[in-house]
Amino acid sequence: MHSCGSRKIIVWILCLIFSLSHSILVWASSPPKHLCRQDQRDALWEFKSEFHLSGMAANEKTQTWRNNSDCCSWDGITCDPKTGNVLDLNLWSSSLNGPLRSSSDSIGNLKYLKDLRLSECNLFGKLPSSLGNLSDLTHLELDGNGFTGELPVSIGNLKQLTKLLIASSKLIELSSLDLSFWDTLRGDVDFSIFLHLKSLTSLDISTLNTRSIFSSTLHMVSPIGSLALASCNISEFPKFLRTQTSLFYLDISQNQIKGQVPEWLWSLPGLEYEIYLLDISSNAFKNPFPLLPKSITFLSASDNQFSGEILKTICQLDSLETLVLSNNNFSGSIPRCFEKFNTKLTVLHLQNNSLSGEFPEESVSVGLISLDVGHNQLSGEFPKSLMNCTGLEFLNVEENKFNDTFPFWLRLLPDLQFLVLRSNEFHGPIYSPEGSMSFPKLRIFDISKNLFSGALPSDYFSGWSEMSSGVYTPDNKQKRFIGIGFSNYLKSVVLANKGLEMKLLGTSFNIYKSIDVSGNRFQGEIPKSIGLLKEMIVLNMSNNAFIGSIPPSLSNLTNLQSLDLSRNRLSGKLPPELGKLTFLAWMNFSYNNLEGPIPQGTQIQSQDSSSFLHNPGLCGAPLPKTCSGGEEATINKDKEEDQVLSWIAAGIAYVPGVFCGFVIGHILTSYRHEWFKKFFHYFS
């Protein structure tokens, strides 16, 4: 009886467990009674309460909403099934009738909303700034309403927005609209919206990712003053500009416009005296070069197909501050005019053309901040009139035929940050005992592939503050330099980094701090003061005749990523301290007279053997040559000691592990045996 009763109890318990388990599974798989979050429902209910509904219209979705029900079941609402957040509010053609109130706007509290569709809802008034709170919004459809006033600045906060429809709205007070870098996922954009913006004076739709054709669909009825159409897939010059007589800022760069800049652009009434910025760079414009208005301040025509000599009429542009004609086919000499006619010129970029002859002293405006004439065929002496440009920050003359000694007067330029004399015929020493070679703000120093010679004193780099501490703060003049139109005429230099030549562009200059004196005839020892330049990223002193040992002070360069000391006459051992440079990803010590074992370190050992070749006395990994005698014995001893320690550690961990495993196994085995014994006893 006892055995039978026990079996019944066990069976009853098993049935109860099964029933409870089933109930739990059913409960867990069933959705909660109210999925919608309370704050989301309150925001929606407040939104509904703002309007005077149009009665019992069949298309009035909010008529079915009930405050005591789950808002995720309401018409026009879609929720996230896991979180209950409202993702989609679609009240298209719901005849809400009324303004979107800016004081309460309840909609701005739906911060997880991705899709908002209020098209053709008889809405009017100003668009509320609270729309800018919907940072996850990808679709916003407000067309077919009667909105007026200005487009709120907060719309710019919608970084995820890919679709915006506001057609038929009467934003008559809107004066400035910036839709640049807006990704419409290659969709169509209805540009008829601009026909209603009668107060619009500034429009920027640069880099708008759309498949629409601007030149045939974009029309403006308002007097536009500032227009930016950069990178908009334009293939012809916009004809609607014929009606614009108040234009003072025009950017149509980075398109595919071919042919000539139309002459009618400069014959528009009043335009000759108003336009101050014109950017036609990165197109396919050809000759003739446009006749420019005297009022122009900024001109960028780089990356086109202009050829022939640079017109001397440019000299008459006495308001010109920025002139960028890089990457064309200009030939002949540089016009001799800027110093005499224009003292305002701050940026002169003529890189990568076929300009020849001497650099005329008269072409140096005392106000220059940036000068780039690299990759031409200029020859003769370096223009000494540059010493009067006390605000000069960027100087690049790479890949020319300048034949002169080092311009020691450059140390008189207090703001010089980038100095590139690479690949010319400069010669002689770069050190003068008459004065210090201090460059307190220098970030890039590239004098490679010249004929410089002589030795450098031990303290040569002691006055290079910017590379030592990096505490320099840009002043107002530099802010002016990187201000208007800076992105349209990017600075560029070729930099040897990690054994390869890379082109440094634009904002990359803020990152790199480098010294390249390779490919010259320098002698003597590497200055120990090189260790002061703690902010340096790239150091290249290869292909010279440096002697002596590698200074251990190099280990202070904790930010160094690339180091090239190859093809010199260096001797002695590799400093073991170099193994501490954790950012040093590439190094080359080949073709020297170094000796001894290669230091053990992750960064050094990860290098290819070619980084150490042709040093007869070097030995050890990654070279195939092993070290002999005491050196090899020391290395092997260290390896053996490491192996012994590893085996001891493994043994210490193994014994307790085996013991614990045995004890746990014994307990589990005993427990399992006893449990099975009792189980079969109950069911026997």
Side-chain angles (χ1 to χ4, degrees):
M1 291 292 294
H2 176 74
S3 176
C4 182
S6 299
R7 285 197 295 270
K8 289 181 179 179
I9 293 173
I10 292 175
V11 172
W12 183 84
I13 291 175
L14 290 176
C15 290
L16 179 62
I17 292 174
F18 175 78
S19 178
L20 289 173
S21 300
H22 178 72
S23 299
I24 292 173
L25 289 174
V26 171
W27 177 83
S29 62
S30 301
K33 185 176 182 180
H34 290 289
L35 174 63
C36 183
R37 289 175 44 174
Q38 181 67 37
D39 62 324
Q40 309 275 290
R41 183 175 61 182
D42 292 344
L44 287 169
W45 193 254
E46 182 182 353
F47 170 73
K48 174 186 176 180
S49 303
E50 294 178 1
F51 301 101
H52 302 291
L53 301 182
S54 57
M56 298 303 293
N59 59 353
E60 184 50 71
K61 296 180 180 179
T62 60
Q63 293 280 17
T64 64
W65 293 8
R66 297 292 180 268
N67 195 21
N68 58 352
S69 61
D70 182 9
C71 74
C72 292
S73 64
W74 294 352
D75 287 350
I77 304 296
T78 302
C79 295
D80 187 320
K82 294 182 179 180
T83 64
N85 292 320
V86 177
L87 302 181
D88 188 354
L89 175 57
N90 184 358
L91 299 180
W92 177 82
S93 191
S94 289
S95 302
L96 296 176
N97 271 340
L100 286 178
R101 300 178 186 174
S102 58
S103 57
S104 62
D105 288 291
S106 53
I107 287 185
N109 294 328
L110 301 174
K111 57 182 179 179
Y112 301 102
L113 203 62
K114 293 184 178 296
D115 198 331
L116 176 59
R117 305 185 189 193
L118 300 177
S119 301
E120 300 184 19
C121 287
N122 294 328
L123 298 171
F124 53 84
K126 292 186 177 182
L127 289 173
S129 60
S130 58
L131 287 174
N133 298 335
L134 307 178
S135 57
D136 290 342
L137 204 63
T138 59
H139 285 67
L140 177 59
E141 300 183 14
L142 303 172
D143 55 314
N145 290 289
F147 292 115
T148 59
E150 297 183 351
L151 198 66
V153 177
S154 60
I155 291 291
N157 297 333
L158 306 181
K159 305 299 184 183
Q160 307 299 323
L161 197 64
T162 61
K163 185 175 183 179
L164 173 63
L165 296 181
I166 52 176
S168 299
S169 299
K170 299 177 181 179
L171 304 175
I172 56 177
E173 298 177 28
L174 185 65
S175 61
S176 178
L177 179 60
D178 187 344
L179 301 177
S180 58
F181 293 94
W182 185 13
D183 188 359
T184 66
L185 300 180
R186 298 297 298 164
D188 288 322
V189 174
D190 183 6
F191 293 113
S192 64
I193 178 180
F194 299 121
L195 294 175
H196 304 282
L197 306 179
K198 297 184 178 181
S199 298
L200 194 66
T201 59
S202 176
L203 175 63
D204 188 348
I205 48 179
S206 299
T207 321
L208 185 61
N209 187 15
T210 175
R211 63 185 178 189
S212 300
I213 302 176
F214 287 84
S215 55
S216 61
T217 61
L218 183 60
H219 299 281
M220 309 295 299
V221 296
S222 58
I224 290 293
S226 175
L227 180 62
L229 303 176
S231 189
C232 285
N233 302 317
I234 301 176
S235 57
E236 60 179 348
F237 205 90
K239 293 184 174 61
F240 74 90
L241 291 178
R242 281 182 177 269
T243 62
Q244 302 298 323
T245 59
S246 301
L247 201 63
F248 60 84
Y249 182 112
L250 177 60
D251 181 358
I252 54 173
S253 62
Q254 302 180 59
N255 285 291
Q256 297 90 40
I257 307 177
K258 300 179 180 179
Q260 303 175 2
V261 179
E263 294 184 5
W264 54 257
L265 183 63
W266 314 116
S267 62
L268 296 177
L271 192 61
E272 181 180 357
Y273 303 101
E274 294 187 11
I275 192 165
Y276 74 84
L277 182 144
L278 176 64
D279 192 341
I280 57 174
S281 62
S282 299
N283 281 285
F285 286 116
K286 296 181 179 180
N287 287 358
F289 195 76
L291 296 175
L292 302 167
K294 289 187 176 182
S295 60
I296 199 163
T297 300
F298 178 102
L299 172 63
S300 179
S302 65
D303 297 273
N304 279 289
Q305 299 175 17
F306 292 116
S307 60
E309 293 189 359
I310 298 176
L311 297 179
K312 293 184 179 180
T313 53
I314 286 184
C315 301
Q316 301 173 9
L317 306 178
D318 51 12
S319 297
L320 192 63
E321 295 183 8
T322 297
L323 177 61
V324 183
L325 302 178
S326 303
N327 303 313
N328 279 286
N329 298 314
F330 287 114
S331 58
S333 59
I334 298 176
R336 299 174 177 266
C337 63
F338 296 116
E339 182 185 40
K340 181 178 180 181
F341 293 97
N342 187 341
T343 59
K344 297 179 180 179
L345 193 67
T346 58
V347 176
L348 178 59
H349 284 198
L350 306 175
Q351 187 189 57
N352 198 22
N353 281 285
S354 298
L355 300 173
S356 59
E358 295 187 356
F359 193 112
E361 300 283 351
E362 300 88 345
S363 297
V364 177
S365 170
V366 295
L368 277 179
I369 295 178
S370 180
L371 174 63
D372 189 345
V373 293
H375 296 271
N376 280 287
Q377 301 173 25
L378 300 174
S379 59
E381 295 184 354
F382 202 58
K384 291 182 174 58
S385 55
L386 282 171
M387 72 173 64
N388 300 320
C389 304
T390 56
L392 192 65
E393 299 175 4
F394 182 85
L395 177 57
N396 181 15
V397 299
E398 65 182 339
E399 297 285 348
N400 276 287
K401 299 178 180 179
F402 284 110
N403 190 334
D404 202 349
T405 56
F406 185 80
F408 290 103
W409 42 263
L410 287 174
R411 64 176 179 264
L412 302 176
L413 306 180
D415 294 326
L416 191 62
Q417 299 177 45
F418 309 99
L419 175 58
V420 182
L421 307 180
R422 172 190 178 94
S423 298
N424 277 281
E425 298 176 12
F426 288 102
H427 53 272
I430 65 171
Y431 168 73
S432 172
E434 299 176 358
S436 170
M437 282 302 295
S438 175
F439 290 106
K441 296 182 181 179
L442 204 61
R443 303 171 62 90
I444 290 182
F445 181 65
D446 188 347
I447 59 172
S448 61
K449 297 183 180 180
N450 278 286
L451 301 173
F452 290 119
S453 59
L456 303 180
S458 181
D459 62 348
Y460 188 81
F461 299 106
S462 59
W464 298 34
S465 307
E466 173 66 15
M467 289 198 188
S468 300
S469 60
V471 296
Y472 166 60
T473 302
D475 56 19
N476 291 331
K477 278 190 289 188
Q478 188 189 29
K479 290 179 181 177
R480 181 186 179 193
F481 168 49
I482 63 176
I484 181 171
F486 173 75
S487 61
N488 301 304
Y489 67 90
L490 295 176
K491 302 173 298 184
S492 66
V493 295
V494 176
L495 177 69
N497 184 19
K498 300 179 181 179
L500 301 173
E501 289 191 351
M502 58 176 288
K503 195 169 186 178
L504 205 59
L505 297 172
T507 55
S508 301
F509 284 90
N510 299 328
I511 303 173
Y512 278 91
K513 297 182 180 180
S514 68
I515 290 180
D516 191 344
V517 299
S518 63
N520 282 287
R521 301 175 180 178
F522 290 117
Q523 301 173 340
E525 296 186 348
I526 296 176
K528 294 181 174 59
S529 57
I530 195 74
L532 298 174
L533 311 184
K534 298 179 181 179
E535 299 292 317
M536 189 158 49
I537 302 294
V538 177
L539 175 60
N540 189 351
M541 308 184 84
S542 63
N543 288 279
N544 280 288
F546 286 113
I547 61 173
S549 59
I550 298 175
S553 61
L554 281 176
S555 62
N556 296 329
L557 309 184
T558 53
N559 290 317
L560 199 62
Q561 299 178 13
S562 176
L563 173 62
D564 194 347
L565 301 179
S566 63
R567 298 182 183 274
N568 279 288
R569 300 174 185 175
L570 299 171
S571 58
K573 296 183 178 181
L574 282 172
E577 296 87 351
L578 295 180
K580 301 177 182 179
L581 300 179
T582 55
F583 289 107
L584 189 56
W586 189 89
M587 60 191 81
N588 192 351
F589 303 103
S590 61
Y591 292 91
N592 277 289
N593 297 314
L594 300 172
E595 60 184 7
I598 296 175
Q600 305 296 300
T602 303
Q603 297 300 101
I604 296 180
Q605 296 299 307
S606 64
Q607 302 298 309
D608 189 83
S609 60
S610 60
S611 297
F612 305 95
L613 293 178
H614 298 280
N615 285 280
L618 273 186
C619 60
L623 290 175
K625 179 182 178 181
T626 59
C627 298
S628 60
E631 293 172 346
E632 183 176 22
T634 300
I635 295 175
N636 292 335
K637 182 179 179 181
D638 291 340
K639 291 183 178 179
E640 290 176 0
E641 288 179 353
D642 290 341
Q643 291 177 352
V644 170
L645 289 174
S646 298
W647 279 108
I648 292 174
I652 292 174
Y654 176 77
V655 173
V658 172
F659 177 76
C660 291
F662 175 79
V663 172
I664 293 172
H666 176 72
I667 292 173
L668 292 176
T669 303
S670 302
Y671 177 78
R672 184 178 60 180
H673 177 73
E674 188 65 25
W675 186 86
F676 276 113
K677 184 177 179 182
K678 291 182 179 180
F679 179 81
F680 285 112
H681 173 72
Y682 283 128
F683 285 91
S684 62

